[in-house]
Amino acid sequence: MKRQFKFNKAFLPCAIFSTLVIIAGIVGIFVRKINFSIDFVPGLVEEIRIAPAAAELTYTGTSTVNVELDSSSLSLVITGAGAENETKTFTFGQNPTVADMVNALNGVPGVSAKVVGSSGADSYGIFVNSMVTARLSDRPYKLYVPSGDAVSVDDIRDAVSALDVSVKEIGTEVDRGFQIRAKVSKDDETSSQALQEKIISALQAKFGKDNVPVVKQDFVGSQWSSSLMSRSILLAVLTIFLIWLYATIRFSWDFALGAIVALVHDCLIMFTFITWFQLEFSTTTLAAILTIFGYSINATVVILDRLRYNIKNLETKSFRDILNKSLNDTLSRSIITTVTTLFASISLWVFTTGSIRVFAIVLTIGLISGCYSSMFISSGFISLTRRNWVPGQKKEKKVAKAEPVAAL
């Protein structure tokens, strides 16, 4: 006979444990604060690299020549007076090294290219400074490749230590970059340009004027960040409401409320980890939380469906016994589904970086919490609401009243 676990004995300890974790999360919000990404707070985000220029381009003709770069090629877009409005594309496959690319670019009339760094560097690694205009002129336009020098995130933090910014490493060892984020107040958004100049100046003072290319830059204003925050909260609340409505129609009010208690529990548990481990809360993180909403309610509905079935077919049992049997019936399904999904989320956690890695971490925490809350938090709440419910109780009372009449 299959072993039957007494899940009801763990309801109270689990409730106490979860309460303590959630309280720690609430304390963390005030002590550590939530690490909001640039999506939710006004501020500046820059992605920079530390690398010397590998090649320089100049143009002395009368036309307009702009440089465009993608993952597989470098193109020169030629327009204006005396030009045929054409685009000359130089693929990295046909020009595998910086020297090969420079030789190919020298074939364009008016364009002069020269190697100033490693001529044998892989052309696939070429990148440019996005803060410099892509239009060629008589002033050198620089092409960069990843540097072999090992610049660490601590070196970058040391360079900008006088500024109120956060720095994190992105990319791999080969194409290592650094994301610098600075928050600005609602009344100080006009100073973003000055703040950017201070950041670049501090880095150039440490690593050299021409060795700090800016790969990408973003700025989010207060109006957009506030709007996104309010819409995100509304989306989460609406999602919970619709789930409650669905569970109420399909089951009963206490079953539905138990499912919502589990969802809110999972959300607060995830925020506890997000706060104390300072995981970046971005739109990607929000997507992970909403994903867990769907996963958790699915796990809970499976248990509730089995519970409803057992209530109808095991009338001689107490509610506690019916609940334990229902949890035992769905135990293997709950564990196997969670573990299988964890394989994917942990793989993303280990083998990815950036926002996808944060997504995987939050998803992993939510998967574990979702399985746990469906079995112990939601079920414990339902058990509390039906603690005095015993199937067949009314029927027994009627028989007891009828016996004295029959004796007379």
Side-chain angles (χ1 to χ4, degrees):
M1 182 178 178
K2 185 178 179 181
R3 182 180 178 183
Q4 298 292 303
F5 297 98
K6 301 294 184 181
F7 286 93
N8 64 292
K9 293 183 179 180
F11 289 162
L12 182 58
C14 287
I16 295 173
F17 171 74
S18 294
T19 301
L20 293 176
V21 174
I22 290 170
I23 291 174
I26 294 173
V27 172
I29 292 176
F30 293 98
V31 176
R32 300 272 290 174
K33 309 293 183 183
I34 298 177
N35 182 23
F36 287 110
S37 74
I38 195 66
D39 298 329
F40 294 102
V41 294
L44 175 74
V45 172
E46 285 187 330
E47 182 182 330
I48 62 100
R49 290 189 184 182
I50 306 300
E56 292 181 349
L57 308 180
T58 56
Y59 179 69
T60 56
T62 58
S63 302
T64 300
V65 179
N66 288 284
V67 178
E68 293 184 355
L69 191 68
D70 59 32
S71 60
S72 61
S73 64
L74 184 149
S75 300
L76 299 181
V77 181
I78 305 172
T79 58
E84 298 181 358
N85 294 333
E86 59 179 334
T87 299
K88 294 185 177 294
T89 300
F90 305 91
T91 64
F92 299 139
Q94 295 176 336
N95 304 279
T97 66
V98 171
D100 294 330
M101 182 63 70
V102 165
N103 291 333
L105 292 170
N106 277 322
V108 179
V111 174
S112 175
K114 67 176 182 179
V115 176
V116 295
S118 176
S119 61
D122 193 343
S123 63
Y124 275 98
I126 288 177
F127 59 95
V128 297
N129 190 339
S130 64
M131 299 304 296
V132 178
T133 177
R135 180 177 177 178
L136 297 184
S137 64
D138 56 353
R139 297 181 62 181
Y141 181 83
K142 302 181 187 299
L143 303 178
Y144 298 84
V145 292
S147 172
D149 298 332
V151 178
S152 69
V153 67
D154 291 329
D155 296 329
I156 303 296
R157 287 170 179 160
D158 181 64
V160 295
S161 58
L163 303 173
D164 185 17
V165 299
S166 61
V167 183
K168 71 176 183 179
E169 183 177 325
I170 57 177
T172 63
E173 186 176 355
V174 175
D175 59 350
R176 180 186 291 114
F178 304 93
Q179 185 187 81
I180 301 176
R181 187 180 67 183
K183 299 176 183 178
V184 298
S185 64
K186 294 182 179 180
D187 300 328
D188 197 30
E189 292 180 14
T190 55
S191 66
S192 61
Q193 185 66 32
L195 178 60
Q196 178 196 0
E197 292 174 357
K198 289 180 181 179
I199 294 172
I200 298 302
S201 297
L203 292 171
Q204 289 177 341
K206 183 176 179 67
F207 301 105
K209 183 178 180 181
D210 297 326
N211 297 337
V212 189
V214 179
V215 179
K216 185 172 63 175
Q217 180 189 35
D218 291 310
F219 178 77
V220 176
S222 61
Q223 184 176 359
W224 166 256
S225 59
S226 300
S227 174
L228 185 59
M229 175 66 76
S230 60
R231 291 180 181 180
S232 298
I233 294 174
L234 179 61
L235 176 63
V237 172
L238 182 61
T239 301
I240 292 176
F241 172 76
L242 291 176
I243 290 173
W244 169 82
L245 185 62
Y246 160 78
T248 302
I249 295 173
R250 179 168 179 179
F251 299 105
S252 60
W253 71 270
D254 53 342
F255 282 24
L257 197 55
I260 296 305
V261 168
L263 288 183
V264 175
H265 166 276
D266 296 337
C267 183
L268 294 176
I269 293 295
M270 284 186 283
F271 266 100
T272 297
F273 282 87
I274 289 170
T275 301
W276 281 105
F277 291 96
Q278 285 294 282
L279 301 176
E280 186 178 64
F281 188 83
S282 63
T283 50
T284 305
T285 311
L286 178 62
I289 293 174
L290 294 178
T291 300
I292 293 303
F293 279 6
Y295 174 88
S296 180
I297 192 61
N298 180 65
T300 303
V301 164
V302 170
I303 295 174
L304 296 182
D305 195 56
R306 172 58 63 173
L307 178 59
R308 181 178 60 178
Y309 174 83
N310 286 338
I311 288 175
K312 293 179 179 179
N313 293 276
L314 300 174
E315 295 182 357
T316 59
K317 296 283 187 177
S318 69
F319 187 78
R320 182 189 63 186
D321 294 333
I322 293 175
L323 185 55
N324 282 329
K325 177 169 175 52
S326 301
L327 290 170
N328 277 283
D329 290 346
T330 57
L331 178 62
S332 59
R333 183 265 178 201
S334 299
I335 294 177
I336 292 173
T337 303
T338 301
V339 171
T340 303
T341 314
L342 281 173
F343 286 150
S345 65
I346 293 176
S347 297
L348 287 174
W349 183 348
V350 174
F351 297 109
T352 61
T353 58
S355 60
I356 298 300
R357 184 171 184 269
V358 175
F359 174 87
I361 294 173
V362 176
L363 195 64
T364 300
I365 295 168
L367 287 170
I368 297 172
S369 176
C371 180
Y372 160 81
S373 66
S374 296
M375 296 173 62
F376 296 103
I377 303 303
S378 176
S379 299
F381 178 84
I382 296 171
S383 178
L384 180 64
T385 61
R386 298 203 177 194
R387 62 185 181 277
N388 297 322
W389 180 88
V390 178
Q393 187 175 19
K394 293 182 179 180
K395 185 177 180 180
E396 292 173 0
K397 287 182 178 180
K398 289 181 180 180
V399 174
K401 290 180 180 179
E403 288 178 353
V405 177
L408 291 175

